[in-house]
Amino acid sequence: MRPARALIDLDAVVHNYRHARRLGGGRALAVVKADAYGHGAVACARALDGEADGFGVACIEEALELREAGVCAPILLLEGFFEAAELALIERHDLWTVVASPWQVEALERHRPAKPLDAWVKLDTGMHRLGLAPAEFEDAWRRLRALDGIGGMVAMTHFARADELGQARTGEQLDAFDQALAALPAGTPASAANSAGLLAWPRARREWVRPGLMLYGTHMLDAPRAEADALRPAMRLESAVIAVRELAAGEPIGYGGGFVTGRPTRVGVVAMGYADGYVQYAPAGTPALVDGRRTGLVGRVSMDMLTIDLTDHPQAGVGAKVELWGPGLPVAEVASSAGSSPYRLLSGLKRVPREYSGGA
Ligand SMILES: Cc1ncc(COP(=O)(O)O)c(C=O)c1O
């Protein structure tokens, strides 16, 4: 059997969720979109069911997968509905929806659901992706509030640069958010923080927080924060050495021959490649662990294999365990060496079988 696998620690996901909720001080929506950032949405939601205040997904297909798996907690469609025809399904499956465009307000005015839907009304405070413009927000809020078909409402926004601790932008986004909230009835529940907002910007902690990446035990903050120290990595991506070769100095390794050995080199071939989601152009030196000890990539990553330097690891032969990221090697560090992000590495995994522990 091919030795590549992703070992998922569901206890770590639960631990990280509890940490996020405690830090937020209110309710926390566990973001499990994109198959829980590669960790398996159904498994993670089941591990958190009965505990999480709700789940965040990208679209109705992801929400229905959770409902079909028996997840009963609230589920919020973070991108709202893409067409009015989805409203019937949203109603039938008791989903919550983001409202981020004027046409969605109109669609809700026309739809008249039999039982009220919860709506999170999204203000664009500077991310400039989804969200109502400040000039549209109050009118949209009041029109929705006037509908019998709308139940709970939450005012929300989303940060563009909360992982940059010295950046003024997050404070400016919060100012714009507070200005819009001031026009709404006192006590209106609000939600601003993603993981970085929650970890690093106490002002962003409102009635609801929306942690995603941190649930999986990592972050992208550009400076240390004690709040991130408690996170436990939820995935170990591992494989094994499947072949070893000894090369003289001056020998090229792999496609393109761009990497040439600078010394006599013992090379380990590992069953992991870009078809698994590993970064195709991860440069030489991108870290990996062999038998728990640090080494680095040599040569270009291929579709199903990559090569690592075993010169200083003479004990490591065929069958030696290789950790590509995990508790011993932060995925954020691998991502940064490989010119990628932990979001991309985790959610981009393909083909690699997942094995679960914990979560009972
Ligand atoms: C609206 C919204 N809230 C929360 C999150 C979670 O973000 P993060 O994974 O950075 O915590 C996302 C993810 O992109 C999102 O789109």
Side-chain angles (χ1 to χ4, degrees):
M1 291 270 277
R2 192 166 184 259
R5 58 184 51 87
L7 307 176
I8 313 293
D9 177 358
L10 293 171
D11 288 342
V13 175
V14 173
H15 164 89
N16 295 330
Y17 176 79
R18 288 179 183 158
H19 179 59
R21 197 172 191 281
R22 212 165 25 241
L23 209 54
R27 287 188 279 177
L29 192 84
V31 178
V32 294
K33 64 180 186 162
D35 210 12
Y37 295 41
H39 295 68
V42 167
C44 291
R46 280 186 177 150
L48 288 167
D49 211 16
E51 175 136 18
D53 299 306
F55 295 101
V57 298
C59 56
I60 199 151
E61 290 82 354
E62 293 184 345
L64 296 186
E65 186 192 11
L66 296 184
R67 283 284 182 259
E68 276 156 24
V71 174
C72 302
I75 302 175
L76 176 67
L77 305 177
L78 290 167
E79 293 171 26
F81 47 96
F82 303 136
E83 49 186 354
E86 284 173 28
L87 286 169
L89 277 177
I90 289 175
E91 196 181 338
R92 178 159 0 123
H93 295 279
D94 216 0
L95 306 176
W96 295 356
T97 183
V98 163
V99 177
S101 303
W103 75 263
Q104 292 172 322
V105 177
E106 285 155 27
L108 283 161
E109 285 175 331
R110 276 196 305 273
H111 178 66
R112 302 180 175 279
K115 64 177 190 294
L117 303 176
D118 279 29
W120 289 42
V121 188
K122 186 167 187 174
L123 173 68
D124 177 13
T125 54
M127 171 80 169
H128 298 331
R129 191 179 58 178
L130 285 184
L132 293 151
E136 299 165 333
F137 184 72
E138 194 187 339
D139 173 63
W141 182 278
R142 294 198 187 284
R143 283 167 56 192
L144 291 169
R145 190 58 294 167
L147 298 178
D148 292 336
I150 296 293
M153 287 174 69
V154 176
M156 72 177 284
T157 194
H158 191 54
F159 297 129
R161 306 180 67 173
D163 42 13
E164 298 170 62
L165 272 55
Q167 245 290 329
R169 191 67 172 161
T170 302
E172 291 163 6
Q173 286 197 254
L174 279 166
D175 291 344
F177 191 42
D178 283 337
Q179 200 178 332
L181 287 174
L184 304 184
T188 295
S191 176
N194 60 345
S195 297
L198 173 54
L199 290 168
W201 299 86
R203 234 188 104 196
R205 299 171 191 156
R206 304 296 168 100
E207 285 75 9
W208 281 91
V209 292
R210 307 188 308 272
L213 188 64
M214 70 182 285
L215 298 181
Y216 312 105
T218 185
H219 66 84
M220 280 196 69
L221 302 181
D222 66 357
R225 285 293 292 210
E227 289 87 339
D229 293 346
L231 298 177
R232 279 170 40 189
M235 181 192 292
R236 180 199 307 273
L237 180 65
E238 68 168 38
S239 190
V241 173
I242 57 168
V244 175
R245 55 193 347 97
E246 308 271 356
L247 298 176
E251 292 292 332
I253 300 176
Y255 288 118
F259 179 91
V260 177
T261 54
R263 59 174 181 173
T265 301
R266 190 163 171 267
V267 177
V269 182
V270 180
M272 178 65 60
Y274 61 79
D276 300 300
Y278 200 88
V279 182
Q280 182 175 10
Y281 294 106
T286 299
L289 300 183
V290 59
D291 288 337
R293 294 166 61 203
R294 232 163 221 271
T295 183
L297 266 56
V298 286
R300 193 188 285 176
V301 174
S302 330
M303 187 179 279
D304 316 297
M305 289 174 276
L306 55 78
T307 36
I308 58 173
D309 192 343
L310 295 180
T311 314
D312 300 325
H313 304 278
Q315 84 297 339
V318 170
K321 273 227 161 23
V322 176
E323 180 173 323
L324 286 313
W325 61 71
L329 180 60
V331 62
E333 184 190 338
V334 177
S336 149
S337 300
S340 186
S341 78
Y343 293 95
R344 174 67 183 81
L345 291 193
L346 295 171
S347 69
L349 276 188
K350 290 175 289 185
R351 184 171 77 174
V352 181
R354 288 189 287 239
E355 289 177 12
Y356 289 96
S357 64

